[in-house]
Amino acid sequence: MSSTRNNSDWENTKFLSTIEDIQKLKNSEGGDIKVWGSATLVQLLLQHDLVDELALLIYPIILGKGKKLFNDSSNPAGFTLIENTVTPSGVIALSYKRGGEVKTGTIGE
């Protein structure tokens, strides 16, 4: 999916235009679908319950206002931490796999 392109010279590249195209690709044989750096696309996938895993990098900086990864259109979804790493510079790498039901409460429960 692209808001600026509709073709590519890269081998095996396909451009998708609808959520149904994404669902069809997700249900087909092949490798994982990965999204690098598009909060808008991730929000669309979360809204349509199409996210099985999340890989997040948290940097120890504050830049001010920015685009939210999780917004009001995201459906509630539970994830389970499967891997975490802290780099010497303080970047935290987290991998989550789709978990069971959403659990709410307070920290420590």
Side-chain angles (χ1 to χ4, degrees):
M1 298 191 101
S2 174
S3 60
T4 59
R5 303 185 70 176
N6 58 14
N7 61 49
S8 173
D9 294 332
W10 289 356
E11 191 175 325
N12 298 321
T13 299
K14 294 181 182 185
F15 283 82
L16 308 175
S17 58
T18 66
I19 197 69
E20 289 79 17
D21 290 342
I22 297 171
Q23 289 169 325
K24 185 177 176 182
L25 179 63
K26 184 178 186 307
N27 293 329
S28 68
E29 293 293 321
D32 294 339
I33 301 171
K34 297 186 180 194
V35 177
W36 295 93
S38 175
T40 302
L41 181 54
V42 170
Q43 289 168 351
L44 179 67
L45 296 173
L46 286 167
Q47 181 180 355
H48 292 277
D49 198 27
L50 292 170
V51 176
D52 297 322
E53 293 186 21
L54 291 170
L56 305 173
L57 297 174
I58 300 173
Y59 290 82
I61 58 174
I62 297 173
L63 297 176
K65 289 186 175 187
K67 188 168 210 164
K68 293 179 181 181
L69 180 58
F70 308 107
N71 64 18
D72 293 338
S73 69
S74 298
N75 288 322
F79 288 85
T80 302
L81 182 66
I82 56 174
E83 187 175 351
N84 64 80
T85 305
V86 179
T87 69
S89 64
V91 176
I92 303 169
L94 303 164
S95 294
Y96 291 93
K97 186 172 158 179
R98 190 61 183 263
E101 65 184 69
V102 175
K103 296 178 183 175
T104 61
T106 60
I107 295 175
E109 284 186 357

